Amino acid sequence: MGSPAITQPYPTSATDDLADATYRKVGWRLLPLLFVCYIVAYLDRVNVGFAKLQMQGDLQFSEAVYGLGAGIFFLGYFLFEVPSNVVLHRVGARRWIARIMVTWGLLSAGTMFVSSPTAFYVVRFLLGAAEAGFFPGIILYLTYWYPAARRGKATSLFLAAIPFAGILGGPVSGWILQGMGGVNGWAGWQWLFLLQGLPTVALGLVVWRCLDDRVKDARWLTPEERTLIAREIAAEEAGKAAPKIRAVLSNPRVWLLALVYFAFVSGLYGISFWLPSIIKALGVQGALDIGLVSAIPWTFGVVAMYLVARSADRRLEYRWHSAIAALVGALGLVLSVAWHGHAVWAMAGLTLATMGIMATLPVFWGMPTSFLGGTAAAAGIAFINSFGNLSGFSAPYLIGLIKDATRSTDAGLHMLAALLVAGAVLVLFARPGKPVPTR
């Protein structure tokens, strides 16, 4: 049933004390910047869900047009993800992540000029192509700095940007929609894309200036600290596979994990794109009020993500942690539908669903990063992520079609719950190898 538990999870020597202090130092240096970058990345990806509250009426888009436009982002993402991550591994994270952020920030801001379904589809596709490589690039980048027994916690802190984007982005998006409409003759949704796109460009320039590619480049670490990290990473990499890219993409374990991630991410994007509309259907009116209410599920999601990832790291066990979290997410979606007529209970269901879905993500990434190294890791992580994110295309589009046909999102939420159950079953068959304990 997965890897054995660590029998001594806490430091017992001066070496362990040095390691803990060193990785805390790394965390404070890298994670705040990566965290903020992913907040704006996620806002740029899903702000179309809030823009829909006004954009759909202004441009006369059907639910299916909106769902296709929201999801077509992921086709561009899928096509360019693997080559983008391979380039990052070769040229370094600093310049490549900076390039990614500047280009997608400009395209996101440019969405304010969309006036037809075709233009909407084109700009969303280009936005996905521009952003391809950012998320798997960061997951790969963390393997350069953290061994497996510490990476889950670091990954969870980075991925906490997703629920924080919901906590902060919901109220901010609602305020922009409600308060900026008509300023300079632009609609609130146009201001939303502009004001959430341009900060990404500025952050890209910060990344260019501040991010270090590898441990050896980190002048802010002492020689002893750099040696400690390099030794632990080298010991772990020695036990990983580094096959050719073609072999990685045909590896059954990689495909199985890609299918699992597809199921998990379906739940994430179903919630992300449709949460504002679901909350509105529960009777909450006003863009700002919808934004404030939408922060509730994401707040609980932060807590669940951190606690589950910490538990998985201590036990070096990822399959059962992922499966149980996915089942909790599915239960929450089912309950939100069952309690549809009662706003408070329906929100409790959505909150439980968000907690389960968010908890799957950092734990899941402990599996592929445990057995892939070097260029194989760059290609494998990117492929799993890009394939999984195809659900970002299919889930919103299918929910849009279902809502057009039934005038309700209930059947769509049941579909997402079924996918999460399927992911929970499949992940129990994933045996990607045991991470190497570092202490």
Side-chain angles (χ1 to χ4, degrees):
M1 295 297 183
S3 303
I6 300 176
T7 57
Q8 293 184 355
Y10 297 105
T12 58
S13 68
T15 300
D16 290 331
D17 290 339
L18 173 63
D20 285 344
T22 299
Y23 286 109
R24 278 197 301 270
K25 191 174 181 180
V26 170
W28 279 110
R29 174 75 181 205
L30 299 183
L31 293 177
L33 176 58
L34 299 179
F35 178 84
V36 173
C37 287
Y38 199 37
I39 284 181
V40 298
Y42 203 76
L43 283 178
D44 282 343
R45 185 181 301 182
V46 302
N47 58 12
V48 70
F50 269 96
K52 175 181 181 285
L53 298 173
Q54 295 179 355
M55 184 182 188
Q56 186 176 20
D58 288 353
L59 302 182
Q60 297 300 299
F61 287 174
S62 69
E63 296 288 350
V65 166
Y66 163 76
L68 179 58
I72 206 170
F73 169 98
F74 295 98
L75 291 183
Y77 197 85
F78 175 79
L79 292 173
F80 292 95
E81 185 93 318
V82 172
S84 178
N85 221 37
V86 172
V87 171
L88 181 146
H89 181 64
R90 291 175 178 171
V91 307
R94 180 178 65 88
R95 70 185 79 178
W96 196 247
I97 290 175
R99 192 284 304 164
I100 288 172
M101 295 187 70
V102 169
T103 52
W104 106 57
L106 293 174
L107 282 165
S108 182
T111 309
M112 67 181 293
F113 299 113
V114 162
S115 60
S116 68
T118 300
F120 185 42
Y121 299 153
V122 169
V123 76
R124 290 288 296 175
F125 177 85
L126 292 176
L127 185 61
E131 190 187 323
F134 175 78
F135 175 80
I138 298 300
I139 296 297
L140 177 66
Y141 183 66
L142 291 176
T143 69
Y144 301 159
W145 295 84
Y146 291 97
R150 298 178 185 270
R151 197 181 307 131
K153 182 178 176 181
T155 303
S156 73
L157 292 173
F158 167 63
L159 290 176
I162 296 176
F164 265 100
I167 295 168
L168 301 175
V172 170
S173 297
W175 176 82
I176 293 172
L177 289 175
Q178 193 165 298
M180 295 297 291
V183 176
N184 200 42
W186 293 338
W189 64 267
Q190 291 177 298
W191 279 107
L192 179 65
F193 287 119
L194 180 66
L195 295 180
Q196 292 186 353
L198 292 183
T200 305
V201 177
L203 271 173
L205 299 177
V206 174
V207 166
W208 174 268
R209 182 174 180 84
C210 297
L211 204 65
D212 292 300
D213 285 327
R214 297 277 187 159
V215 174
K216 63 182 177 59
D217 303 314
R219 299 298 97 186
W220 41 272
L221 290 173
T222 67
E224 185 180 19
E225 291 167 339
R226 290 197 295 272
T227 299
L228 183 148
I229 297 174
R231 183 175 63 247
E232 293 196 344
I233 297 298
E236 184 172 284
E237 289 294 313
K240 293 181 180 180
K244 300 290 186 181
I245 292 176
R246 181 179 299 178
V248 172
L249 300 184
S250 62
N251 187 314
R253 290 185 293 180
V254 171
W255 274 95
L256 177 59
L257 291 174
L259 289 170
V260 170
Y261 198 55
F262 181 95
F264 291 169
V265 177
S266 293
L268 172 63
Y269 285 119
I271 291 288
S272 299
F273 284 124
W274 289 94
L275 185 61
S277 298
I278 294 169
I279 292 172
K280 185 177 181 180
L282 293 176
V284 179
Q285 300 300 316
L288 180 57
D289 290 338
I290 292 172
L292 291 170
V293 173
S294 72
I296 296 172
W298 296 117
T299 302
F300 284 89
V302 173
V303 178
M305 173 185 284
Y306 178 79
L307 292 178
V308 174
R310 186 173 68 172
S311 173
D313 267 358
R314 287 183 172 180
R315 293 165 176 80
L316 285 180
E317 195 294 308
Y318 301 101
R319 294 183 303 127
W320 282 99
H321 280 80
S322 293
I324 293 171
L327 292 174
V328 169
L331 175 63
L333 289 173
V334 171
L335 291 176
S336 72
V337 173
W339 293 331
H340 186 81
H342 306 278
V344 173
W345 286 106
M347 278 302 302
L350 286 173
T351 299
L352 183 65
T354 305
M355 292 172 68
I357 291 166
M358 292 308 305
T360 64
L361 301 180
V363 177
F364 170 85
W365 285 110
M367 289 182 281
T369 57
S370 72
F371 74 100
L372 292 171
T375 303
I381 291 169
F383 174 74
I384 291 167
N385 186 65
S386 61
F387 186 91
N389 273 282
L390 283 178
S391 64
F393 168 75
S394 58
Y397 183 46
L398 289 174
I399 293 176
L401 289 175
I402 291 169
K403 189 175 181 184
D404 275 343
T406 65
R407 303 300 174 190
S408 171
T409 57
D410 290 357
L413 294 179
H414 278 141
M415 176 192 72
L416 297 179
L419 284 168
L420 288 171
V421 172
V425 173
L426 286 173
V427 79
L428 295 180
F429 291 94
R431 295 181 179 274
K434 298 179 181 180
V436 179
T438 61
R439 53 181 181 172

